[in-house]
Amino acid sequence: MDLRSRKPSEKKTLKPKLEEDTAPSKVHQRRWRMAFRAIYFTRVLASLSRKVLENKSLLRSVSYHAIDVPNENQGNDNGNNPFFDKERLSEMVREKILQSLANFGGIKQIATMLESHPESGISGSEADLAKRRNGFGENRYKKPPLKGFLSFVLETFKDTTIIILLVCAALSLVFGIKENGWKEGWYDGGSIIVAVILVVAVSAVSNFKQSRQFEALSDENNNIQVEVVRDGRRQCISILDILVGDVVPLKIGDQIPADGLFLEGHSLKVDESSMTGESDHVEVNEENPFLLSGTKVTDGFGYMLVTSVGMNTAWGEMMSTIRHEVNELTPLQSRLNVLSSIIGKVGLTVAITVLSVMLIRYFTGSTEDEKGNKEFQGSKTKFDDVMKSVIDIIAAAVTILVVAIPEGLPLAVTLTLAFSMKRMMKDHAMVRRLSACETMGSATIICTDKTGTLTLNQMKVTEFWLGKEKVYASSSENVPSSEEVKHKFRELLQEAIGLNTTGSVYKRDPSAAAEISGNPTEKAILSWAVNDWAMDVNEPKHSCEKIQIESFNSQKKRSGVLVKRIKDGVVHMHWMGAAEIILAMCSHYYLKDGKEEAIDDEKRKEIATIIEGMAAQTLRCIAMAHRKVEENERIQPKLGETGLIFLGIFGLRDPCRPGVSEAVKCCESAGVKIMMVTGDNLHTARAIAIECGILESNFNNEAIVEGVNFRNYSSEERMARSSEIKVMARSSPFDKLLMVQTLKQKGDVVAVTGDGANDAPALKEADIGLSMGIQGTEVAKESSDIIIMDDNFTTVVTVLRWGRCVFNNIQKFLQFQLTVNVAALTINFVAAVSSGKVPLSAVQLLWVNLIMDSLGALALATEPPTNDLMRNSPIGRSKLLITPVMWRNLISQAIYQVAVLLILQFKGKRVFKTNERVNDTMIFNTFVLCQVFNEFNSRNLEKKNIFRGIWMNKLFLAIIAITIVLQLIMVELLKNFANTERLNWGQWGFCVGIAAFSWPIAFIVKFIPVRSGCNSGSSRENSFHH
């Protein structure tokens, strides 16, 4: 007690004593000085603390984490983090610092600080979501800037032939202006420059547009749907909408959507190879609770608390530095590049030959000008005239090379792939790898799942059997009253259904309808329990404690849980899974009155017969079993799988999708075999296969096999049997992989559908992996080439049709372009050698090149698929790129064009009594119009009716119209620019008539029989394997 706090009477009693100590010791003086310093120091600290509090900031030290708790009455208008230091939190998870986690007070304390609850998540109100976005940001990462339009322009200008043409054009421009002045002298060089710029612009615009389209598809591919818990309710949202504080359920195959902490779960393992490069799977639990964005769940299940999103995660930082460009070279593009190289070399040879011949003829005085005078007269000819003539010759030769090099082929492939990808997206198929578009057209067999692909994946419990007695049927079937069963087995059934599941039931209030989440099987059973038998499946979660869990996977086909009842401490083991597997684990079964009875061989056979009967009705059979667990066997690495009591069987109906049988018939008529690979038992698989049309009602027993039997065959037996098998039941992911490998060894081009994480090896091994967009896990999607967004088999058939269309469109354009190449090279070569001049100028050849490459590719590469494509046999692996049919068509057209144009070249002036310029214009006009009419011929390689379905492709008709209009302008209005003369009506009529005659020629030629060039036998090559 200090002196200021004493009463006056007490102060008086001390006075005499103080007066007695008239000579205080040095010790007492030191003590007084220390006391004074202590008082002074505390006053200073008090003063400093008042200043700090007034400034609303905290002094921090490295020994603790300071938390700024805002006043509830104060807003967060400044946009600062309303929770706490997000950088420290992000660093803790990213670097996996356990000490920092302890300093924060543990995971539950962090959840409290983030105003989240481990079970109910965040509130999910708009105000709460906005506060979290402002405080922690969104789950998006900054993308590197995309290549601009000018980048594509510059890339196109880097082409060697374009550079040479521009140099020649510039020199021609200089000499032309010097000789004829600005008014007339710029035409030759300037027109080449304009034509080159036009070609470059069209190419750059096309590439730029496709780049943006691929980027949009990439964004769509990254927009994953994620399940979160908000306000106690599970809901699906975009991964981009994940926020800090969200509680995210995790299961096998999921991608971790953001950085976070493990809340609860069992046997959760994560593949962190995408972040760390380590292939070993990391177990996540209380000792290692850190989860990193972008990693994949490989086993178990659990819940996570999101602590960092977007650029605050390691994944976000990494992805922000990666530019996604479509540099993938598809197998077809590789083959076309080889073809382009060969054609380019031929073109180079022709160009060099033409250059040499024209230079020799010029300098030997063999060429004449328009007035009939020799162009080169030795020293009498001016240097400028010589240089101009040489430049014109070089420009003509280089232009021939430009026309010869089929740079339109890669453009055509890109166009048709981009077009098909865009249209396939509308048809519920998202392409992840470009090569899949073309490879799908080669497919000879499709291995498809049953659930959700052939069926609707809308499961409903239609029967429930307790032991050997049916106690529930959804139909009007007369079933004895189940009230006794409900009463006696309510607690046991609630535990078996409510605890042995990853699904959940949410009710906002007791009178509200239940919102049920989980996989389709779980949702069906939970829905039956809640709606049909009025069970409270959430009650066991409060009255029981889970001790051990074995999660379901497609290998085991069952899941188990060990639970302890809180009220009496009794421990139960519950199993649920495929009925025949659960039955094999049981030694007893229940009677309706609650008594147990042993299962002997006869009773086991009776129950097995019940299961077979249900399966024959296309029901999926799911059984439940349980037993009490003694104390001495509770601590085991795995749950016991023997001595169980058989509880009951659910019969779940999943109806076939409408249109599946028609789609299966369509595939079979197209020569594509359909094989159903399912985890269901033999009887269910057989019934569904017959309903879908995969099996005939009188099918051969060799057509159906169980996965375990196929697995145990020798490699020779598998090779022999695989061609006969149409249904593989009770198959594991390994069986599916084995089937794919066997089929590929036989030479088939295999497409496989899959949705689970365990399907990833088969999806990768297949020529085309097709994952499911609704039920598919992220691991399955990343392993696939195409995502079927609606999980529908008819969409798979649509993808097959588009795959064939891609290859067919490329062949159409290839035939069209090769016809132009052969005709242009032949005409210029013959004319140059014989007369020393080429009939088509550089500008005219560049215009032909533009029609052929850009406009032609756009017209023919965007043809939609027709039903005729599905009447042809599969392309297979060794389909020739240029088939005998194509050679027949293009050679006949090329011969006709060359013959007509050479006659015009040498006899045109005399026949039409015109000058050389008009004659050259007629040659140019006829040549272009021949290509326009030949585009119609190229629409169908084999069918004689080339106009069938033409009104379906409005773009084709528009391009034809644009080409004709531009040709009119070139001939009639741009005389100086295009080196042309205006033609009269008769000359136009002659040009059109000659060009139109290509139609009857194409019709007649198609009567000539040729082999198709398709070989789908054992000699298939692997050119389409990705």
Side-chain angles (χ1 to χ4, degrees):
M1 185 180 290
D2 63 10
L3 292 175
R4 287 177 297 175
S5 64
R6 294 180 189 271
K7 298 178 182 178
S9 60
E10 291 178 320
K11 292 180 183 179
K12 290 177 182 177
T13 59
L14 284 172
K15 192 173 181 181
K17 187 171 182 179
L18 288 171
E19 289 175 350
E20 290 174 8
D21 298 328
T22 54
S25 66
K26 291 181 179 179
V27 174
H28 291 150
Q29 289 176 354
R30 283 200 300 270
R31 286 177 179 173
W32 275 108
R33 283 196 293 269
M34 287 178 65
F36 174 80
R37 288 172 184 156
I39 292 169
Y40 177 81
F41 184 69
T42 55
R43 291 287 182 86
V44 170
L45 284 179
S47 175
L48 285 172
S49 65
R50 279 195 299 272
K51 290 180 181 179
V52 169
L53 290 172
E54 288 169 359
N55 291 333
K56 297 182 181 178
S57 61
L58 294 176
L59 292 174
R60 302 190 176 197
S61 72
V62 294
S63 62
Y64 68 93
H65 289 267
I67 301 166
D68 183 9
V69 182
N71 189 328
E72 290 182 356
N73 297 324
Q74 293 175 348
N76 187 35
D77 298 332
N78 59 2
N80 293 330
N81 176 9
F83 302 98
F84 54 93
D85 192 346
K86 64 183 179 184
E87 282 77 16
R88 287 177 181 272
L89 190 61
S90 299
E91 183 184 12
M92 176 194 73
V93 176
R94 193 164 54 241
E95 303 297 331
K96 299 186 176 183
I97 307 172
L98 283 169
Q99 184 58 48
S100 291
L101 180 60
N103 291 341
F104 272 116
I107 297 172
K108 289 188 177 179
Q109 183 62 33
I110 290 176
T112 303
M113 295 172 182
L114 292 172
E115 298 179 13
S116 181
H117 190 276
E119 292 182 6
S120 59
I122 62 177
S123 70
S125 66
E126 285 301 321
D128 182 44
L129 299 180
K131 183 169 66 172
R132 293 173 190 278
R133 288 191 194 97
N134 292 335
F136 290 97
E138 296 182 312
N139 199 27
R140 302 168 189 265
Y141 53 83
K142 296 175 184 174
K143 293 184 179 181
L146 296 173
K147 287 169 64 176
F149 176 71
L150 287 177
S151 300
F152 291 98
V153 172
L154 291 173
E155 282 183 9
T156 311
F157 268 119
K158 289 178 182 177
D159 186 88
T160 306
T161 53
I162 293 293
I163 293 171
I164 295 172
L165 271 178
L166 286 174
V167 170
C168 291
L171 292 173
S172 178
L173 190 66
V174 170
F175 287 113
I177 292 170
K178 185 176 179 182
E179 182 179 351
N180 302 315
W182 277 99
K183 189 173 182 180
E184 301 289 337
W186 71 273
Y187 285 129
D188 288 344
S191 57
I192 295 176
I193 291 173
V194 171
V196 167
I197 290 173
L198 185 61
V199 170
V200 168
V202 170
S203 179
V205 167
S206 175
N207 290 334
F208 175 75
K209 192 174 178 182
Q210 304 316 320
S211 170
R212 290 296 183 269
Q213 184 174 332
F214 289 133
E215 183 66 24
L217 285 169
S218 175
D219 291 341
E220 184 70 29
N221 189 32
N222 292 331
N223 189 12
I224 301 166
Q225 291 297 303
V226 180
E227 199 172 33
V228 297
V229 180
R230 288 182 178 175
D231 196 23
R233 174 173 165 260
R234 283 197 187 192
Q235 52 188 285
C236 280
I237 63 171
S238 166
I239 192 173
L240 305 175
D241 295 328
I242 290 280
L243 295 171
V244 169
D246 267 323
V247 173
V248 181
L250 300 173
K251 61 183 182 299
I252 296 174
D254 283 352
Q255 176 178 314
I256 307 296
D259 285 1
L261 296 167
F262 173 79
L263 287 170
E264 63 168 323
H266 297 272
S267 308
L268 189 65
K269 289 187 177 180
V270 175
D271 178 9
E272 295 187 350
S273 58
S274 60
M275 296 298 299
T276 63
E278 298 292 334
S279 58
D280 293 337
H281 296 167
V282 178
E283 188 165 354
V284 180
N285 46 36
E286 287 79 5
E287 286 75 32
N288 176 36
F290 305 106
L291 291 157
L292 300 178
S293 175
T295 57
K296 308 291 189 305
V297 178
T298 58
D299 197 11
F301 66 92
Y303 290 83
M304 71 173 285
L305 173 71
V306 175
T307 57
S308 305
V309 294
M311 291 301 296
N312 294 318
T313 66
W315 180 258
E317 289 181 3
M318 182 174 71
M319 294 304 290
S320 66
T321 62
I322 299 173
R323 175 183 287 163
H324 294 279
E325 292 184 3
V326 185
N327 294 323
E328 176 191 0
L329 201 62
T330 70
L332 185 55
Q333 285 174 321
S334 300
R335 295 172 71 183
L336 287 173
N337 284 348
V338 174
L339 180 63
S340 297
S341 177
I342 294 170
I343 297 172
K345 288 174 182 176
V346 173
L348 180 63
T349 303
V350 171
I352 291 172
T353 305
V354 169
L355 177 66
S356 303
V357 169
M358 291 180 71
L359 286 174
I360 291 170
R361 289 180 66 88
Y362 175 77
F363 284 110
T364 56
S366 302
T367 57
E368 297 177 348
D369 58 20
E370 293 179 358
K371 298 177 181 179
N373 300 320
K374 288 185 178 181
E375 289 185 313
F376 182 75
Q377 299 178 1
S379 58
K380 296 179 182 178
T381 308
K382 296 179 182 179
F383 175 76
D384 289 353
D385 293 338
V386 173
M387 286 302 299
K388 186 177 183 301
S389 298
V390 170
I391 288 168
D392 289 342
I393 292 170
I394 294 173
V398 172
T399 308
I400 290 171
L401 182 60
V402 171
V403 174
I405 296 174
E407 66 268 20
L409 283 177
L411 176 63
V413 175
T414 305
L415 279 172
T416 192
L417 288 175
F419 175 72
S420 61
M421 284 173 69
K422 189 174 181 180
R423 292 293 297 272
M424 284 165 71
M425 193 68 189
K426 291 181 180 178
D427 291 335
H428 311 295
M430 183 165 70
V431 178
R432 295 188 69 254
R433 294 185 179 89
L434 283 177
S435 57
C437 286
E438 61 192 52
T439 312
M440 191 64 190
S442 310
T444 58
I445 185 167
I446 300 173
C447 298
T448 176
D449 285 338
K450 176 188 77 71
T451 305
T453 308
L454 297 173
T455 62
L456 286 170
N457 210 13
Q458 295 174 357
M459 295 196 186
K460 178 178 174 60
V461 174
T462 59
E463 292 183 13
F464 176 61
W465 294 64
L466 185 78
K468 298 193 300 175
E469 297 184 65
K470 185 186 291 188
V471 295
Y472 172 82
S474 62
S475 63
S476 57
E477 182 182 349
N478 186 20
V479 176
S481 175
S482 57
E483 292 304 318
E484 181 187 358
V485 175
K486 289 182 184 180
H487 177 72
K488 287 185 178 295
F489 292 93
R490 175 175 293 275
E491 185 178 21
L492 198 56
L493 286 172
Q494 281 187 170
E495 287 182 12
I497 295 171
L499 297 176
N500 194 6
T501 181
T502 59
S504 66
V505 177
Y506 171 77
K507 279 190 174 184
R508 187 174 295 276
D509 56 71
S511 61
E515 295 182 22
I516 300 171
S517 62
N519 64 48
T521 303
E522 291 173 330
K523 287 166 73 174
I525 294 174
L526 288 170
S527 177
W528 173 83
V530 172
N531 298 324
D532 292 290
W533 274 31
M535 293 183 185
D536 182 4
V537 293
N538 288 328
E539 191 274 331
K541 295 179 181 179
H542 305 294
S543 62
C544 297
E545 175 190 352
K546 291 182 182 180
I547 300 172
Q548 189 176 349
I549 290 178
E550 286 204 19
S551 55
F552 179 90
N553 64 44
S554 52
Q555 190 77 35
K556 297 184 298 183
K557 301 190 186 303
R558 60 190 182 275
S559 63
V561 61
L562 192 68
V563 300
K564 179 180 179 182
R565 291 176 181 168
I566 297 172
K567 63 180 180 181
D568 55 15
V570 174
V571 176
H572 278 261
M573 177 194 302
H574 292 278
W575 281 97
M576 183 186 293
E580 65 270 27
I581 294 175
I582 297 297
L583 177 61
M585 298 162 61
C586 296
S587 59
H588 292 74
Y589 72 99
Y590 276 116
L591 301 174
K592 281 177 68 173
D593 59 6
K595 294 180 181 178
E596 300 175 18
E597 190 165 318
I599 300 179
D600 55 23
D601 291 341
E602 185 179 344
K603 290 185 174 63
R604 192 177 298 277
K605 190 174 181 181
E606 288 177 12
I607 299 174
T609 303
I610 291 170
I611 295 170
E612 289 178 15
M614 295 169 71
Q617 301 173 49
T618 69
L619 298 182
R620 169 176 279 190
C621 301
I622 304 295
M624 298 182 295
H626 89 109
R627 71 176 169 88
K628 290 182 182 179
V629 177
E630 301 301 327
E631 192 170 347
N632 59 352
E633 59 172 322
R634 290 179 187 175
I635 304 174
Q636 298 290 338
K638 286 191 174 184
L639 296 181
E641 298 183 353
T642 57
L644 300 173
I645 305 171
F646 194 75
L647 184 54
I649 314 168
F650 290 107
L652 286 75
R653 184 175 300 282
D654 186 12
C656 281
R657 286 183 180 273
V660 162
S661 57
E662 289 80 4
V664 170
K665 286 178 184 176
C666 180
C667 286
E668 290 179 348
S669 66
V672 179
K673 177 183 172 184
I674 306 299
M675 181 187 295
M676 186 172 80
V677 183
T678 178
D680 277 337
N681 69 37
L682 199 69
H683 307 288
T684 306
R686 180 193 297 129
I688 291 289
I690 291 172
E691 189 176 344
C692 292
I694 296 173
L695 287 177
E696 301 291 336
S697 55
N698 57 344
F699 66 91
N700 188 338
N701 288 333
E702 300 290 316
I704 186 167
V705 68
E706 284 193 323
V708 64
N709 296 330
F710 183 78
R711 195 185 318 148
N712 292 329
Y713 288 155
S714 66
S715 57
E716 292 78 13
E717 286 177 312
R718 282 197 293 270
M719 291 287 284
R721 289 287 311 277
S722 60
S723 58
E724 301 173 358
I725 296 171
K726 289 191 172 183
V727 176
M728 185 159 69
R730 277 288 175 252
S731 64
S732 67
F734 175 75
D735 299 329
K736 185 185 281 190
L737 175 63
L738 199 58
M739 176 62 81
V740 172
Q741 291 171 337
T742 303
L743 292 170
K744 286 182 67 179
Q745 286 173 14
K746 290 190 67 178
D748 280 298
V749 180
V750 187
V752 169
T753 69
D755 54 11
N758 290 332
D759 289 328
L763 290 169
K764 286 183 177 178
E765 180 67 25
D767 294 287
I768 314 101
L770 304 161
S771 64
M772 300 296 109
I774 299 173
Q775 290 299 319
T777 61
E778 287 310 311
V779 171
K781 290 175 185 176
E782 288 210 355
S783 302
S784 66
D785 305 298
I786 297 173
I787 300 174
I788 307 300
M789 304 300 290
D790 59 355
D791 292 13
N792 195 336
F793 183 75
T794 54
T795 304
V796 176
V797 179
T798 301
V799 172
L800 176 65
R801 183 183 282 110
W802 273 108
R804 292 189 173 193
C805 180
V806 167
F807 195 86
N808 190 247
N809 284 352
I810 296 301
Q811 286 189 313
K812 291 175 186 177
F813 177 71
L814 189 57
Q815 175 183 297
F816 171 72
Q817 188 172 50
L818 288 177
T819 304
V820 183
N821 279 41
V822 171
L825 288 175
T826 305
I827 293 163
N828 281 288
F829 177 76
V830 173
V833 171
S834 59
S835 65
K837 288 187 177 181
V838 290
L840 300 175
S841 69
V843 173
Q844 292 169 353
L845 282 173
L846 285 172
W847 170 235
V848 171
N849 190 61
L850 184 65
I851 296 173
M852 177 180 69
D853 284 349
S854 303
L855 297 179
L858 200 58
L860 293 171
T862 55
E863 283 276 343
T866 62
N867 291 330
D868 290 338
L869 291 171
M870 297 302 286
R871 297 190 186 103
N872 300 329
S873 59
I875 296 170
R877 295 188 189 275
S878 62
K879 173 81 173 184
L880 297 172
L881 199 56
I882 309 176
T883 64
V885 169
M886 294 167 63
W887 280 119
R888 177 196 66 190
N889 296 341
L890 75 89
I891 288 174
S892 62
Q893 290 294 325
I895 289 173
Y896 171 69
Q897 290 180 20
V898 169
V900 168
L901 296 177
L902 286 179
I903 290 171
L904 278 174
Q905 169 72 12
F906 295 108
K907 303 292 183 181
K909 286 189 291 184
R910 190 170 61 192
V911 171
F912 292 101
K913 297 180 174 60
T914 61
N915 58 36
E916 187 172 352
R917 183 145 175 163
V918 171
N919 191 58
D920 286 347
T921 302
M922 289 183 66
I923 293 172
F924 167 59
N925 199 34
T926 304
F927 185 61
V928 170
L929 292 175
C930 278
Q931 311 323 316
V932 172
F933 280 89
N934 195 36
E935 278 187 77
F936 287 89
N937 293 330
S938 300
R939 287 190 68 247
N940 204 311
L941 303 180
E942 298 190 56
K943 300 290 181 182
K944 298 176 181 66
N945 184 2
I946 57 176
F947 303 105
R948 185 177 178 183
I950 196 166
W951 298 110
M952 293 173 58
N953 193 353
K954 300 292 191 297
L955 182 61
F956 178 88
L957 295 173
I959 289 170
I960 293 293
I962 290 169
T963 305
I964 292 172
V965 169
L966 291 175
Q967 180 65 14
L968 278 167
I969 293 171
M970 287 281 286
V971 172
E972 298 296 322
L973 301 179
L974 302 178
K975 297 190 298 179
N976 292 329
F977 173 80
N979 296 323
T980 57
E981 281 290 332
R982 297 184 68 174
L983 302 178
N984 58 38
W985 285 104
Q987 292 163 342
W988 266 103
F990 174 80
C991 294
V992 172
I994 291 294
F997 198 70
S998 63
W999 283 354
I1001 288 175
F1003 182 82
I1004 294 167
V1005 163
K1006 286 177 182 176
F1007 282 100
I1008 301 173
V1010 291
R1011 60 188 179 86
S1012 63
C1014 178
N1015 177 20
S1016 56
S1018 59
S1019 63
R1020 291 166 177 152
E1021 302 165 338
N1022 291 321
S1023 60
F1024 276 93
H1025 178 55
H1026 66 274

